[in-house]
Amino acid sequence: MTPEQLSSALVAALTRLVDDGRLTLPDGVPSTVLVERPKVREHGDYATNIALQLAKRAGVNPRDLAQQLAEEIVTDDGVASAEVAGPGFLNLRVSAGAQGALAGQVVTAGDSYGRSDVNAGQKVNLEFISANPTGPLHLGHTRWAAVGDAMARVIEATGAEVTREFYVNDRGNQMDVFGASLMARAHGEEPPDDGYHGAYVADLAAKVVAEVPGVLDQPADEQLVTFRETGYRLQLAEQQAELDELRTHFDVWFSERSLHDSDSVEHGFDRLREQGRLFEADGATWMRTTDFGDDKDRVLVRSNGELTYFASDTAYYVNKRERGFDPCIYLLGADHHGYVGRLSAMAACVGDTPGEQLEVLIGQLVKILQDGEELKLSKRAGTIVSLRELIDLIGVDPLRYTLIRYPVDSPLTLDVADMTSKSNDNPVYYVQYAHARLASILRNAADLGITVDGSYDASQLSTEREGDLLRALAELPRVVARAAELREPHRVARYLEDTASTFHKFYDTCRVLPQGDEDVTDLHRARLVLVAATRQVLANGLGLLGVSAPERM
RNA sequence: GCCCCCGUAGCUCAGCUGGAUAGAGCAAGUCACUUCUAAUGACUCGGUCGCAGGUUCGAAUCCUGCCGGGGGCACCA
């Protein structure tokens, strides 16, 4: 009996009470009843506070209502006991057989266990990183790469179709500055003051020279273009290769230039004009974002005729919407927080509802320490911690996992020593180790000729540790659904850590396979199914984070 | 000045859309491997949930004010 089934059973019980006239609910019976796992064991396998919530509306004492519900719910075969506690909680115990059945269900469901179709039909656009193609990706980008990709996987697991999109800012003044910086380095000169000064610039310049042998003999204006364009192509390719290595794969790399090569910008303006949000003033063209709470109106076309970045952004959003996406999610760093107000207002200006078609998630910044010193990440100053270095220093699995396991709205301080440590102060190995342990048991079982099949006796799984583990496995579907709904993939990681811990405790007290020349009993078989189910849950969860589930460690 | 995020054990952080006695890992100390992976488990120590009010059966969680830290407020990208 899963929490979902228990919840349905409670709804059914309430419905019976109402139908029989034993209970009056003016607003009707709620469609779902929240069932939670109590922290204290004495409070049962599951508990619900539904009586406390309904008592006022029903005009009865919460404990009396809980008592009525208790008497009704125990008639269900899967419920072993129900008792009223405290101000009106209902503490429930599930029968071993009903609970143990889950293990077989998980094994049968396999890779699909934990997935659902609650968001089926939804077309989600998830934009993240969107770095300028003028330098290597750094630590900040790496956090969004890991979190964004995990978020995409989690949302996909609820049935939605998710497009991962990277917006390439390949237009504007910074591209020329980038070209000029490369060109200067190629000639052994210092880049301009406002240019790019990182050590990578000289390396990249050398690559351009290698790729285009005659470049240094080209006329200056032509040479600038060659450096800019070739440097752009090489730098973008490097970003793509590194993200690939981090297992973050984008479906669409969307070039800002392509918006301008097509009529997308004009098209966006048309939309604003239709909505009456465009106006001219001081020789510039503006969007009236103050109609929707922005603190000032925003310029789209400057008085010198140049388009602003925000003009591109607006066109891009309209483009996404016309490709059928709803919602469009933006994952931005805290340094872009000032952008949220105008993005939301922009969505309203083109006729959408901010918070529905457009969602902005702000992630806080990351700091990384090594030997107590902060690794700096200023691209322009040149001392950067790049994605490449992080992968080499920490490894893909620990890097991804560590960045994903914290909520994005909390600022983060990470220590290199912790992330590379191969002990249980490193949660990624704690979870992976549990998986490897489980895989090992399954290998040993196969050697003994014991197979996992559906005909086990579920009621054998009757001890406390087995019950704890079964209840942990039962949580995966709602953890995934909740993580998707709240856009918080870190919940999956935390869940895996809890579940791994619950498994280790089970392993400590419950022998799975027969020892020596012992006969194979129903208990052995049942526990083996539980082991197979646990392995499946950890593997599915790690898969949602894009972290590997090793068979051996 | 205005806006956003954060403030929980010595450290790094959870806290399940308001629930019962606030948790985990690390750090400090103790114990358990002839037995399926000890990268594990058991136990001890450790707290005015920044401060003050408010909302209610009930607040770390919601509201207001204050204090402290981070970030942001361009006809830049």
Side-chain angles (χ1 to χ4, degrees):
Chain A
M1 184 155 231
T2 65
E4 289 76 16
Q5 292 167 328
L6 197 53
S7 174
S8 307
L10 286 162
V11 170
L14 282 169
T15 306
R16 288 198 295 276
L17 290 175
V18 169
D19 289 348
D20 296 352
R22 286 180 282 168
L23 178 67
T24 306
L25 290 175
D27 307 328
V29 177
S31 58
T32 57
V33 170
L34 182 65
V35 180
E36 53 182 12
R37 286 200 295 168
K39 278 173 281 194
V40 184
R41 190 170 304 288
E42 288 70 42
H43 296 159
D45 296 335
Y46 293 102
T48 179
N49 62 358
I50 191 67
L52 285 161
Q53 292 182 350
L54 295 180
K56 190 173 281 179
R57 273 178 278 163
V60 295
N61 177 302
R63 282 193 62 101
D64 292 345
L65 175 51
Q67 185 57 41
Q68 274 190 295
L69 187 55
E71 288 166 16
E72 194 57 35
I73 194 70
V74 285
T75 62
D76 193 299
D77 286 343
V79 178
S81 73
E83 56 190 56
V84 181
F89 292 104
L90 189 55
N91 296 337
L92 300 156
R93 285 177 203 283
V94 177
S95 67
Q99 189 157 260
L102 177 78
Q105 290 160 15
V106 172
V107 172
T108 303
D111 292 343
S112 69
Y113 181 67
R115 309 182 81 88
S116 67
D117 56 4
V118 294
N119 288 320
Q122 222 180 67
K123 262 190 90 173
V124 179
N125 184 283
L126 183 60
E127 183 196 327
F128 54 108
I129 308 180
S130 295
N132 293 341
T134 54
L137 298 172
H138 56 64
L139 176 59
H141 300 128
T142 306
R143 186 177 192 185
W144 314 135
V147 170
D149 181 64
M151 192 179 295
R153 291 172 192 244
V154 167
I155 295 173
E156 276 168 346
T158 60
E161 180 189 317
V162 180
T163 296
R164 299 161 173 77
E165 196 147 323
F166 188 120
Y167 182 55
V168 184
N169 297 134
D170 56 3
R171 193 177 168 281
N173 184 49
Q174 93 276 3
M175 290 302 290
D176 292 326
V177 171
F178 172 61
S181 301
L182 290 173
M183 189 167 151
R185 281 295 180 203
H187 289 274
E189 298 160 9
E190 280 296 312
D193 287 346
D194 63 346
Y196 293 89
H197 291 84
Y200 73 93
V201 177
D203 297 342
L204 191 56
K207 284 183 195 160
V208 174
V209 173
E211 183 121 338
V212 189
V215 62
L216 296 176
D217 302 324
Q218 291 174 350
D221 52 348
E222 188 182 328
Q223 198 175 136
L224 180 66
V225 172
T226 302
F227 273 106
R228 188 185 67 204
E229 295 307 306
T230 310
Y232 164 29
R233 185 164 50 73
L234 292 172
Q235 188 61 69
L236 182 64
E238 188 185 302
Q239 290 184 357
Q240 292 173 326
E242 289 177 1
L243 287 168
D244 246 24
E245 202 174 330
L246 192 68
R247 298 182 208 130
T248 296
H249 311 293
F250 285 88
D251 302 298
V252 176
W253 293 80
F254 198 101
S255 152
E256 183 183 357
R257 284 180 188 171
S258 72
L259 282 171
H260 296 265
D261 295 342
S262 64
D263 61 353
S264 297
V265 175
E266 235 354 273
H267 185 63
F269 285 3
D270 289 343
R271 174 67 77 81
L272 290 168
R273 223 169 265 123
E274 288 163 21
Q275 299 283 330
R277 308 298 175 192
L278 213 60
F279 69 97
E280 310 280 332
D282 307 328
T285 304
W286 303 67
M287 187 193 313
R288 204 182 311 275
T289 50
T290 49
D291 285 352
F292 299 101
D294 198 6
D295 33 9
K296 52 176 293 190
D297 291 322
R298 303 293 169 173
V299 172
L300 297 175
V301 186
R302 290 194 266 161
S303 48
N304 66 7
E306 284 178 37
L307 292 162
T308 62
Y309 186 79
F310 192 53
S312 297
D313 263 4
T314 303
Y316 185 31
Y317 176 71
V318 171
N319 173 286
K320 282 179 182 173
R321 293 283 292 123
E322 290 181 353
R323 279 185 282 149
F325 294 113
D326 182 2
C328 300
I329 306 176
Y330 291 73
L331 186 43
L332 302 179
D335 52 344
H336 285 77
H337 142 264
Y339 230 67
V340 179
R342 81 189 77 159
L343 271 182
S344 297
M346 177 272 284
C349 282
V350 300
D352 282 346
T353 308
E356 291 185 14
Q357 287 81 25
L358 179 140
E359 264 180 59
V360 186
L361 304 173
I362 294 297
Q364 298 299 312
L365 304 178
V366 196
K367 243 194 298 194
I368 190 163
L369 304 178
Q370 187 168 33
D371 305 323
E373 295 273 313
E374 179 179 354
L375 298 180
K376 291 287 184 187
L377 33 106
S378 161
K379 191 189 289 185
R380 285 176 184 256
T383 49
I384 58 170
V385 192
S386 67
L387 172 53
R388 155 79 19 235
E389 289 169 303
L390 288 166
I391 290 175
D392 293 345
L393 186 63
I394 295 161
V396 172
D397 279 343
L399 182 59
R400 279 190 68 112
Y401 190 93
T402 308
L403 291 169
I404 293 166
R405 76 185 284 267
Y406 300 99
V408 291
D409 53 10
S410 61
L412 209 51
T413 305
L414 298 173
D415 193 293
V416 173
D418 290 341
M419 287 193 280
T420 53
S421 156
K422 296 200 170 180
S423 64
N424 72 352
D425 50 351
N426 196 342
V428 64
Y429 293 124
Y430 184 80
V431 175
Q432 287 186 320
Y433 181 73
H435 183 272
R437 232 181 184 184
L438 287 153
S440 171
I441 298 172
L442 291 166
R443 276 196 303 274
N444 294 338
D447 289 346
L448 293 171
I450 311 172
T451 54
V452 175
D453 58 43
S455 64
Y456 70 104
D457 176 4
S459 68
Q460 293 285 325
L461 303 173
S462 59
T463 66
E464 198 170 283
R465 293 286 172 92
E466 289 161 321
D468 287 344
L469 186 51
L470 284 162
R471 285 187 289 280
L473 303 187
E475 290 298 306
L476 181 67
R478 57 177 180 174
V479 167
V480 173
R482 188 106 180 107
E485 181 193 342
L486 296 176
R487 321 295 192 210
E488 293 184 347
H490 79 275
R491 289 169 184 276
V492 175
R494 298 293 170 161
Y495 164 77
L496 290 175
E497 291 165 31
D498 283 348
T499 303
S501 167
T502 307
F503 161 68
H504 283 309
K505 293 186 209 310
F506 157 83
Y507 180 90
D508 197 50
T509 54
C510 296
R511 175 77 201 185
V512 177
L513 299 175
Q515 288 174 282
D517 50 6
E518 264 186 285
D519 288 334
V520 180
T521 64
D522 284 348
L523 180 60
H524 293 133
R525 274 188 274 270
R527 283 181 174 169
L528 189 61
V529 176
L530 179 55
V531 162
T534 306
R535 192 210 62 78
Q536 187 72 59
V537 164
L538 294 185
N540 291 0
L542 286 168
L544 288 173
L545 306 182
V547 174
S548 71
E551 297 289 317
R552 298 170 200 273
M553 285 174 77

